[in-house]
Amino acid sequence: MSTVALITGAASGIGAAVARRLSAGGARCVIVDLDGEGAERLAKEVGGVALAADVSTPEASQQAVDLAEERYGRLDLVHLNAGISSGVDLAAFDLAQYRKAVGVNMDGVVFGVTATVPLLKRSGGGAIVVTSSLAGLVAFHGDPVYTMTKHAVVGLVRGLAVPLSRENIRINAVCPGFTDTPLVAGMRDMFVGAGFPLLTAEDVAAAVETAFYAEDPGTLLVVQPGRQPVPYRYSGVPGPVTGERPPI
Ligand code: NAD
């Protein structure tokens, strides 16, 4: 029986590299992206199935789960990866721009979790990896609202990790530094000019695969160029506050 994976933001960059990597390993992939043509193209390339959808709406994640179940009958791996830089200028606040960033980067992950966990459970368990960012652990002065959203999903992963592990579901995150994808195209020349090394999407995809199988609940893998991904360790704060109520 093939592994079935659902990947959001999979038409480009990191998500596309993950879809290619998992498909090369024999997985069947559900490719979800706002860019329907890009999703179709990649689905054709990897022999998966595409869904054009906006992850900031709860219906999108449910449609993706329904498609996985209808086509492949199960779900094993979920990569909640769709994300955008916010560009929000807090001194000239644009509410629509703010809501869009929060909608994709935070709501999209929450909706992705709530929609996929029931099918993961029915499939006997599985794993979720969220694409956070190095900006989920450290300050990125260039985009504080992006920094907020990426910290927020780290909090969700940490809060869910132990309770979901009791359901045989791992939830972990990757926290990559700057990666050479269309998301940072506007800054690429500056990075190259400054000799600043960039990750490749394939580097991050390899870390995502590692994160799927990381046993420590709530592993946050720091991914930086030229180094092996390492789990982030908090220091100086107490351990988790535990509760018995299943989160979902
Ligand atoms: P990318 O722009 O190449 O890919 C992002 C994909 O998400 C695109 O195909 C886009 O169409 C899709 N998308 C955007 N909004 C969507 C929505 N509402 N619904 C569904 N799909 C949507 O960028 P990337 O660098 O591959 O980014 C992937 C993830 O990695 C993002 O969460 C990003 O924040 C994170 N990240 C990127 C970097 C970097 O330097 N590139 C670093 C750390 C984290």
Side-chain angles (χ1 to χ4, degrees), residues 80-179:
L80 300 176
N81 167 76
I84 55 174
S85 49
S86 93
V88 172
D89 177 353
L90 291 165
F93 192 67
D94 180 330
L95 183 61
Q97 201 178 12
Y98 170 76
R99 292 269 182 251
K100 185 174 174 193
V102 168
V104 181
N105 294 4
M106 287 168 50
D107 297 349
V109 174
V110 174
F111 299 153
V113 167
T114 55
T116 58
V117 162
L119 182 54
L120 289 170
K121 278 190 198 169
R122 291 202 295 284
S123 306
I128 302 172
V129 170
V130 174
T131 304
S132 175
S133 169
L134 214 47
L137 299 170
V138 300
F140 173 38
H141 297 166
D143 195 338
V145 168
Y146 180 79
T147 303
M148 175 191 79
T149 62
K150 293 299 181 178
H151 274 65
V153 294
V154 162
L156 185 75
V157 166
R158 299 184 79 215
L160 284 171
V162 169
L164 283 183
S165 69
R166 297 190 191 117
E167 313 275 357
N168 201 25
I169 297 171
R170 295 179 297 279
I171 182 164
N172 299 314
V174 289
C175 300
F178 288 113
T179 308

Side-chain angles (χ1 to χ4, degrees), residues 8-17 32-36 38-39 51-57 60 79-85 100 103-105 108-109 130-135 146 149-150 174-185 187 191 198-199 201 204 223:
T8 69
S12 171
I14 293 167
V32 184
D33 206 289
L34 197 56
D35 169 8
L51 178 71
D54 178 351
V55 298
S56 65
T57 67
H79 183 203
L80 300 176
N81 167 76
I84 55 174
S85 49
K100 185 174 174 193
V104 181
N105 294 4
V109 174
V130 174
T131 304
S132 175
S133 169
L134 214 47
Y146 180 79
T149 62
K150 293 299 181 178
V174 289
C175 300
F178 288 113
T179 308
D180 192 1
T181 71
L183 190 81
V184 298
M187 294 188 279
F191 287 131
L198 293 174
L199 288 157
V204 183
V223 193

